[in-house]
């Protein structure tokens, strides 16, 4: 808990470490009432540090120090200083061995940082600064050491003892205890350390690498989850193969292990050779996991595996460089997912997340560059900007260089920096050196926060056959940053002729053989491009594939959008045109009288989408999803959420009513047959069926109700079962809703991952998730304040997805969230800080809302003993 005001840490203060650690020898004695950690470090002065007589300073947090021994002699209390967050030894030789013994209490660790217990097993989470909760250590990623770890515990309770690397020794001890020793040959920062001890079943497989080495693949899960490992294991093997084929990266250790734990703050963690996963991000079976969960698991398994090179072999010099590993690894996992499924659908999903949530972050009080210049609490910087925008920045390099040069660049990067802790600048430099391109201006993407805005205008000179496009870029001010410089933006585009045919993009007159798509490079504040030989006014297809993370403003007419929706050869832009049209229609209804006409051409466009079986059904499934409320809020100023909710809902109901026949036909056409498969086609089929069902139930259609009830009972997979449950929960059929929820819970109450879905389907529902319902869910026996997934599935889903209820004009949603944040701040500050996010955006909303949001934030600010995590978020969001 905080005792003084949190300090800001600046990138500009970076200094190389005064001491290096070559090896770490750890011995863990694990007991029920605590754990004793013996740590022996081989330390030497860093020849690159100018501080020749610096004291040795080791980081610590919540440790009870038992002894300190230097080169075999135990130090007296006056020889060192235990400051709680630091252990300081004033005078040390050039090179020495230091043994520190600490006592910790994993069983009482509710922050889930360092060593803690989850469902009876011991596990760790050390990124970013959790290792200091285990023992005193220079807890910074540029100190890389070889680790040897001996774990001792009771054999019956903890038969499985795991750490990084290879197991080199094991044996029996007295009193029913045993030990295993692990050795990791690769030097690593302590944030990649991991330990697991528990009663777990082991699932094995093997992978033969490109050079013919056989790797032992092992998954460790609680016995009840033994049947939920296959998908993750298959995903792992696909990832290993893909990284060899696409990046030339082979796995380096002989064993690769994955462990599933129920209590985990994030999705998963890439500890060297021993990845630890949140159960919800790794365990799956047809009966318990939805298609979305299957896809998420494949992506996260890949992400953590890919970190073995982008993150572990080459790591970050300091935490300001976090996007070096995260942005690059997200880019890699999204390429992988695109290759495994439908690239267009994957792009749509990534862009939806980026535009809804990252743009909101970039326009809010916590906006920061991809490489931040300062922070208070690093845990608050595992953000959409670092991850998703960081991945977009790498994607733009890929676009500018082309795939072959990009691969040369990544090869050079891995070769040049193997075993080092480096910066985002080193990454860009490798790309420059390999390709010969100058990325000087491009580097601004790492330094400037805020989403660039591109204002696009055009004119057509029929006499000359010239189409002129003017693109003006500007970057909005963000906290602490004004007057930004123009950035280097790859802008992909095409032009469509009047029958929808793609036109050659002739930038000079008289030149033939021009391509149908170009990537224009914007570097100035304003550019004008002239296209020659254009016979009639074209329709521009702008920013294809979303080639840069920017907002494009152009005065599309509804006709143009409808035209692009059916003609653009770029599937992504077809979808985007549909979204823009739907946004325009919904926005025009916000605050309008109830009987305002709803654009008939939108209905006809949707009718065509639903009925035309020749279209790519995976794309159709995406195109049918109306823009979310969160996205509509992001696009508006002075948002009135209940009004936005009503407008969107009116469009949905209108579509459902007008297209009832088509929806029923679509449902029947996509009736599943044959065994469950997770192919893009099968996923699209289920998605279309469940969308049809959801729409029918929204208008309380009796046929829909009958279909939903039988689908709920007969489904052979969770996607369909959950689709039916969600449709019933969001319908006006109150009796069916309750029955469905009760039956579902009875059937799945022993499965925590399914219970989490059951919580969130209610908490996110405008029908079943009013505040009084949410309070009941918090009292439910399956709810657990110590489990982050449960908190997210009730409190997070309510504040993040049930927007009309959260933004109740009486302010009750805000007060509720403030109460939960204060409560959690004491037990799990990381989760508390994440939960505050919806309140921090208070400036976005109409005054009646923003004033109440602000006072809820002030109440959190005034809580005594506020954690550094919540302090930073709340103070930044209240700052003028
Ligand atoms: N590096 C992990 C995610 C992760 C980040 C922070 C954590 O604690 C603050 C835990 C996990 C990843 O990118 O998957
Ligand atoms: Zn990651």
């Amino acid at each position: 808990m905080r005792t003084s005001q949190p300090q800001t840490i600046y990138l500009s203060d970076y200094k190389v470490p005064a001491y290096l650690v070559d090896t770490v020898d750890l011995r863990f004695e694990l007991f029920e009432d605590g754990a004793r950690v013996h740590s022996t470090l081989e330390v030497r002065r860093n020849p690159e540090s100018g501080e020749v007589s610096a004291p040795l300073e080791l980081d610590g947090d919540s440790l009870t120090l038992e002894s300190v021994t230097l080169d075999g002699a135990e130090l007296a209390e006056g020889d060192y200083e235990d400051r709680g967050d630091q252990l300081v030894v004033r005078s040390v030789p050039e090179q020495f061995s230091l043994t520190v013994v600490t006592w910790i209490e994993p069983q009482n660790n509710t922050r889930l940082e360092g060593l803690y217990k989850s469902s009876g097993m011991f596990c760790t989470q050390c990124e970013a600064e959790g290792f200091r909760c285990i023992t005193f250590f220079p807890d910074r990623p540029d100190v890389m050491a070889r680790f040897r770890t001996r774990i001792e515990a009771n054999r019956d309770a903890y038969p499985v003892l795991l750490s990084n690397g290879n197991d080199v020794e094991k044996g029996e001890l007295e009193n029913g205890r045993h030990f295993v020793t692990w050795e990791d040959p690769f030097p690593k920062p302590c944030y990649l350390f991991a330990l697991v001890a528990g009663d777990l079943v082991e699932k094995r497989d093997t992978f033969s690498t490109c050079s013919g080495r056989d790797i032992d693949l092992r998954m460790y899960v609680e016995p009840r989850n033994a049947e939920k490992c296959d998908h993750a294991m298959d995903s792992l093997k696909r990832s290993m193969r893909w990284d060899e084929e696409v990046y030339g990266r082979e796995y380096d250790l002989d064993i690769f292990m994955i462990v599933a734990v129920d209590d985990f703050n994030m999705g998963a963690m890439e500890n060297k050779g021993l990845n630890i996963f949140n159960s919800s991000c790794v365990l799956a079976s047809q009966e318990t996991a939805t298609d979305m969960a299957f896809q998420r698991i494949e992506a996260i398994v890949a992400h953590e595996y890919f970190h073995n090179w982008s993150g572990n072999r080459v790591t970050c010099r300091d935490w300001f460089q976090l996007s070096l590993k995260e942005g690059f690894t997200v880019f890699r996992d999204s390429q992988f997912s695109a290759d495994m499924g439908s690239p267009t659908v994957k792009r749509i999903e990534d862009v939806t997340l980026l535009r809804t949530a990252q743009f909101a972050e970039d326009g809010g009080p916590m906006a920061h560059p991809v490489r931040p210049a300062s922070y208070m609490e690093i845990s608050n910087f595992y953000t959409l900007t670092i991850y998703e925008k960081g991945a977009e920045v790498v994607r733009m390099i890929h676009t500018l260089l082309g795939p072959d040069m990009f691969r040369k660049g990544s090869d050079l990067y891995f070769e040049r920096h193997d075993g080092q802790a480096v910066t985002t600048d080193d990454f860009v430099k490798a790309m420059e050196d390999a390709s010969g391109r100058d990325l000087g201006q491009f580097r601004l993407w790492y330094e400037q926060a805020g989403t660039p805005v591109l204002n696009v205008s055009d004119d057509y000179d029929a006499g000359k056959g010239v189409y002129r496009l003017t693109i003006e870029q500007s970057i909005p001010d963000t906290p602490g940053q004004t007057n930004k410089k123009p950035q280097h933006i790859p802008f992909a585009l095409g032009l469509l002729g009047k029958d929808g045919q793609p036109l050659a993009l002739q930038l000079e007159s008289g030149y033939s053989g021009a391509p149908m798509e170009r990537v224009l490079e914007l570097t100035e504040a304003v550019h004008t491009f002239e296209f020659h030989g254009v016979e009639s006014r074209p329709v521009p297809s702008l920013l294809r594939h979303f080639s840069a993370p920017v907002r494009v403003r152009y005065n599309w007419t509804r006709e143009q959008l409808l035209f692009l929706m059916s003609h653009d050869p770029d599937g992504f832009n077809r979808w985007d045109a549909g979204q823009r049209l739907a946004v325009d229609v919904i926005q025009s209804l916000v605050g309008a009288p109830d009987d305002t006409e709803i654009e008939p051409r939108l209905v006809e466009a949707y009718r065509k989408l639903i009925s035309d079986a020749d279209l790519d059904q995976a794309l159709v499934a995406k195109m049918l999803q109306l823009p979310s409320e969160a996205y509509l809020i992001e696009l508006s100023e002075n948002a009135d959420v209940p009004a936005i909710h009503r407008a969107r809902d009116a469009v949905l109901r209108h579509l459902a009513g007008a297209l009832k026949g088509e929806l029923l036909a679509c449902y029947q056409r996509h009736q599943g047959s044959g065994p469950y498969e997770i192919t893009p086609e099968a996923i699209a089929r289920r998605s279309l069926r469940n969308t049809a069902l959801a729409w029918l139930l929204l208008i309380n259609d009796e046929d829909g109700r009958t279909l939903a009830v039988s689908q709920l009972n007969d489904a052979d997979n969770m996607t369909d079962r959950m689709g039916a449950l969600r449709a019933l929960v969001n319908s006006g059929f109150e009796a069916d809703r309750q029955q469905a929820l009760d039956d579902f819970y009875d059937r799945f109450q022993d499965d925590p991952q399914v219970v989490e879905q059951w919580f969130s389907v209610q908490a996110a529902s405008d029908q079943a998730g009013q505040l009084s319902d949410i309070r009941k869910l918090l009292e439910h026996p399956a709810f657990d304040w110590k489990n982050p997934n449960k908190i997210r599935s009730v409190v997070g889903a309510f504040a993040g997805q049930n927007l009309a209820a959260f933004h109740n004009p009486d302010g009750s949603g805000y007060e509720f969230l403030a109460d939960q944040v204060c409560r959690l701040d004491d037990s799990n500050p990381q989760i508390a800080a994440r939960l505050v996010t919806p309140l921090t955006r208070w400036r976005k909303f109409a005054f009646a809302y923003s004033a109440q949001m602000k006072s809820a934030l002030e109440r959190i600010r005034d809580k005594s003993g506020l954690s550094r995590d919540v302090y930073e978020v709340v103070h930044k969001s209240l700052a003028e």
Side-chain angles (χ1 to χ4, degrees):
M1 199 167 295
R2 192 172 61 81
T3 47
S4 58
Q5 188 162 314
Q7 299 297 303
T8 300
I9 299 166
Y10 296 93
L11 168 61
S12 55
D13 288 343
Y14 174 81
K15 280 198 250 143
V16 299
Y19 294 91
L20 300 176
V21 180
D22 291 318
T23 62
V24 186
D25 205 317
L26 296 167
R27 181 174 151 229
F28 287 85
E29 297 180 83
L30 304 179
F31 304 103
E32 293 313 304
D33 63 343
R36 181 166 292 108
V37 184
H38 308 250
S39 160
T40 299
L41 314 178
E42 296 302 326
V43 188
R44 67 188 155 89
R45 241 179 242 293
N46 181 1
E48 277 166 35
S49 165
E51 299 184 64
V52 275
S53 54
L56 175 74
E57 294 174 343
L58 304 178
D59 304 295
D61 187 349
S62 318
L63 304 170
T64 304
L65 181 62
E66 294 194 343
S67 67
V68 185
T69 305
L70 197 136
D71 285 334
E74 183 164 343
L75 298 186
E77 286 208 3
D79 298 335
Y80 60 85
E81 194 186 338
D82 178 3
R83 298 184 186 158
D85 62 349
Q86 263 192 340
L87 173 65
V88 182
V89 188
R90 291 239 154 256
S91 106
V92 289
E94 281 287 302
Q95 186 160 355
F96 55 95
S97 150
L98 185 83
T99 300
V100 178
V101 182
T102 47
W103 176 257
I104 53 180
E105 295 186 351
Q107 73 282 6
N108 298 326
N109 178 348
T110 56
R111 286 162 54 190
L112 315 185
E113 299 171 70
L115 179 63
Y116 63 93
K117 286 191 94 170
S118 171
S119 325
M121 69 166 119
F122 287 93
C123 61
T124 54
Q125 173 51 42
C126 294
E127 186 176 6
E129 299 181 333
F131 194 73
R132 64 184 64 186
C133 307
I134 295 176
T135 181
F136 285 103
F137 195 79
D139 191 356
R140 43 186 292 169
D142 55 356
V143 171
M144 299 170 80
R146 263 190 296 278
F147 282 68
R148 184 183 168 93
T149 306
R150 173 175 158 123
I151 312 164
E152 303 175 5
N154 180 284
R155 175 183 276 288
D156 289 340
Y158 309 99
V160 173
L161 305 176
L162 310 173
S163 190
N164 318 85
N166 304 308
D167 41 338
V168 292
E169 201 189 349
K170 56 187 69 172
E172 299 301 318
L173 300 166
E174 283 178 356
N175 301 324
R177 293 171 67 79
H178 71 142
F179 77 94
V180 180
T181 303
W182 293 81
E183 217 170 65
D184 182 357
F186 292 95
K188 64 169 178 285
C190 64
Y191 84 84
L192 291 172
F193 170 80
L195 174 156
V196 170
D199 186 1
L200 304 169
V201 294
E202 182 185 73
K203 291 278 174 178
R204 280 186 179 241
D205 209 323
T206 56
F207 177 81
S208 181
T209 72
C210 51
S211 75
R213 292 167 44 245
D214 283 332
I215 313 296
D216 230 338
L217 309 179
R218 307 181 191 167
M219 281 186 71
Y220 294 92
V221 299
E222 290 173 53
R224 64 188 162 85
N225 293 322
E227 304 313 314
K228 290 173 145 195
C229 297
D230 292 349
H231 178 63
M233 190 65 100
D234 291 341
S235 303
L236 174 63
K237 289 187 282 184
R238 285 194 291 274
S239 312
M240 296 178 87
R241 188 62 73 217
W242 186 90
D243 212 15
E244 293 183 342
E245 289 171 359
V246 179
Y247 280 86
R249 300 292 114 200
E250 186 181 355
Y251 186 62
D252 48 12
L253 287 161
D254 298 330
I255 313 174
F256 186 85
M257 294 174 281
I258 286 180
V259 181
V261 305
D262 283 350
D263 305 296
F264 202 74
N265 281 346
M266 309 284 269
M269 179 63 212
E270 71 264 23
N271 318 297
K272 183 80 187 184
L274 177 54
N275 289 0
I276 298 182
F277 278 68
N278 185 322
S279 295
S280 71
C281 296
V282 65
L283 302 175
S285 71
Q286 172 181 339
E287 292 77 25
T288 62
T290 60
D291 292 345
M292 229 166 79
F294 272 94
Q295 290 178 300
R296 187 179 67 224
I297 289 166
E298 179 179 69
I300 298 181
V301 167
H303 179 96
E304 305 311 329
Y305 174 73
F306 296 156
H307 267 315
N308 190 54
W309 275 96
S310 48
N312 301 2
R313 286 288 285 260
V314 182
T315 195
C316 303
R317 186 191 75 174
D318 54 70
W319 291 121
F320 298 101
Q321 319 299 328
L322 183 55
S323 196
L324 171 79
K325 73 177 178 83
E326 297 304 347
F328 188 23
T329 305
V330 172
F331 173 67
R332 276 151 55 67
D333 82 55
S334 86
Q335 283 182 300
F336 167 78
S337 298
D339 284 355
M340 295 300 121
S342 155
T344 304
V345 166
K346 175 62 180 159
R347 192 69 190 130
I348 289 168
E349 289 167 352
D350 288 350
V351 172
T352 301
L353 174 65
L354 191 83
R355 283 206 297 218
T356 307
Q358 195 279 324
F359 282 16
E361 184 171 275
D362 234 353
M366 281 291 286
H368 54 276
V370 169
R371 191 200 59 203
S374 68
Y375 62 75
M376 283 182 183
E377 170 52 59
I378 186 57
S379 301
N380 288 332
F381 282 76
Y382 287 79
T383 60
L384 290 146
T385 299
I386 301 294
Y387 277 68
E388 314 303 325
K389 185 175 182 179
E392 293 297 320
V393 170
V394 176
R395 174 183 294 275
M396 287 188 286
I397 298 180
H398 187 271
T399 302
L400 291 170
L401 268 56
D404 296 340
M405 279 301 167
F406 184 87
R407 169 65 195 270
K408 269 182 74 182
S410 69
D411 283 351
L412 179 62
Y413 168 72
F414 288 125
E415 187 199 335
R416 188 184 272 176
H417 298 297
D418 192 8
Q420 296 177 1
V422 302
T423 63
T424 54
D425 209 48
D426 292 317
F427 179 81
V428 178
K429 187 82 173 62
M431 290 291 164
E432 281 182 321
D433 290 350
S435 67
R437 283 215 56 161
D438 177 358
L439 296 174
Q441 184 185 7
F442 186 85
R443 283 176 169 79
L444 290 170
W445 279 105
Y446 288 92
E447 292 160 26
Q448 298 189 147
T451 306
V453 177
L454 301 184
N455 280 309
V456 181
S457 56
D458 57 354
D459 63 78
Y460 175 63
D461 183 334
K464 292 192 184 137
V466 170
Y467 176 69
R468 213 171 288 113
L469 203 59
T470 298
I471 309 178
E472 205 176 323
Q473 68 162 296
S474 60
I475 306 173
D477 291 350
T478 45
Q481 277 191 343
T482 53
N483 293 324
K484 296 177 200 188
K485 300 188 190 116
Q487 291 181 180
H488 183 174
I489 300 174
F491 188 91
L493 95 166
L495 298 178
L496 302 192
K498 63 176 183 309
D499 304 321
Q501 79 282 16
L503 304 181
L505 305 179
Q506 247 177 268
L507 284 170
E508 291 154 52
S509 64
Y511 169 79
S512 66
M516 307 293 188
E517 178 174 310
R518 276 183 186 273
V519 179
L520 304 174
E521 296 194 20
L522 312 179
T523 51
E524 310 284 330
V526 188
H527 284 269
T528 298
F529 299 94
E530 285 193 350
F531 299 92
H532 297 261
V534 182
E535 278 165 19
S536 61
R537 187 178 189 97
V539 176
S541 166
L542 304 174
L543 198 76
R544 281 194 172 159
H545 339 290
F546 207 70
S547 60
V550 298
R551 296 178 198 267
V552 174
R553 302 227 168 105
Y554 172 76
N555 270 335
W556 279 282
T557 61
R558 288 187 180 175
E559 283 87 286
Q560 284 177 316
L561 293 172
L562 287 156
F563 181 83
L564 290 168
M565 258 178 102
S566 49
H567 294 298
D568 200 317
D570 179 34
F572 175 84
N573 267 10
R574 264 206 314 281
W575 168 82
D576 195 35
Q579 292 290 295
R580 287 181 195 275
L581 177 65
V583 165
D584 189 35
V585 170
I586 296 170
Q587 280 177 342
S588 69
L589 293 175
V590 174
D594 280 353
D595 57 357
T596 308
E597 193 201 27
I598 295 176
E599 172 65 81
R601 289 172 298 178
L602 182 75
V603 181
E604 291 322 306
Y606 272 62
R607 190 189 308 280
K608 185 164 157 237
L609 285 172
I610 299 175
S611 316
D612 189 343
D614 294 336
L615 298 173
D616 169 1
Q617 297 295 292
L619 185 56
V620 170
K622 287 291 170 200
M623 292 185 78
L624 287 181
Q625 308 298 321
L626 283 190
S628 67
E629 285 173 16
Y631 184 52
L632 293 161
I633 292 169
E634 207 289 308
L635 292 176
S636 53
E637 275 164 41
N638 298 318
D640 177 342
V641 180
I644 291 174
H645 178 79
R646 277 194 301 277
R648 183 179 182 276
D649 210 49
V651 172
L652 261 181
R653 284 173 203 274
H654 180 72
L655 286 169
L659 302 173
K660 187 183 155 185
E662 286 81 358
L663 291 168
L664 281 167
C666 168
Y667 185 91
Q668 304 301 353
R669 190 167 75 241
H670 292 292
Q671 198 83 272
S673 61
Y676 176 80
E677 289 179 317
I678 335 173
T679 57
E681 298 72 32
I683 291 171
R685 260 204 317 277
R686 285 188 287 271
S687 167
L688 285 169
R689 253 160 69 84
N690 286 310
T691 300
L693 200 58
W695 288 19
L696 289 167
L697 269 89
L698 215 57
I699 51 167
N700 299 330
D701 178 77
E702 281 298 333
D703 294 327
R705 168 196 190 161
T706 311
L707 292 172
V709 171
S710 57
Q711 180 174 315
L712 179 67
N713 296 321
D714 304 341
D716 69 349
N717 66 82
M718 185 50 84
T719 305
D720 287 336
R721 206 184 294 278
M722 190 47 82
L725 180 68
R726 176 169 293 114
L728 284 165
V729 166
N730 291 326
S731 76
F733 298 123
E734 223 164 294
D736 298 86
R737 173 200 311 159
Q738 205 46 55
Q739 187 67 45
L741 284 167
D742 293 346
D743 292 352
F744 188 96
Y745 184 76
D746 282 347
R747 189 194 280 254
F748 292 105
Q749 56 180 306
D750 296 328
D751 188 309
Q753 285 82 56
V754 183
V755 172
E756 284 154 22
Q757 299 175 60
W758 180 80
F759 274 133
S760 69
V761 80
Q762 298 173 74
S765 162
D766 62 349
Q767 297 291 318
Q770 293 309 303
L771 191 51
S772 54
D773 305 310
I774 304 297
R775 293 193 193 280
K776 279 192 210 127
L777 294 180
L778 296 181
E779 297 302 319
H780 192 277
F783 187 81
D784 176 3
W785 279 107
K786 292 208 205 60
N787 181 261
N789 291 2
K790 298 292 185 302
I791 298 165
R792 281 185 278 256
S793 64
V794 177
V795 186
F798 171 70
Q801 292 170 53
N802 195 355
L803 298 177
F806 175 61
H807 292 278
N808 190 320
D810 68 8
S812 56
Y814 310 145
E815 288 305 312
F816 168 79
L817 187 62
D819 289 342
Q820 311 321 317
V821 168
C822 290
R823 162 178 196 148
L824 268 168
D825 185 57
D826 295 325
S827 58
N828 190 330
Q830 275 186 19
I831 298 296
R834 280 175 185 271
L835 276 189
V836 192
T837 307
L839 286 175
T840 64
R841 307 276 159 75
W842 60 278
R843 285 190 170 84
K844 188 96 198 144
F845 297 88
F847 181 75
Y849 304 93
S850 65
Q852 300 191 79
M853 294 172 88
K854 184 168 177 241
S855 66
L857 275 172
E858 287 165 343
R859 198 152 65 73
I860 301 174
R861 178 195 63 196
D862 297 339
K863 171 187 173 276
S864 70
L866 200 62
S867 69
R868 187 168 52 205
D869 309 61
V870 175
Y871 179 100
E872 175 171 34
V873 176
V874 168
H875 278 256
K876 286 185 174 169
S877 95
L878 287 170
E880 285 309 318

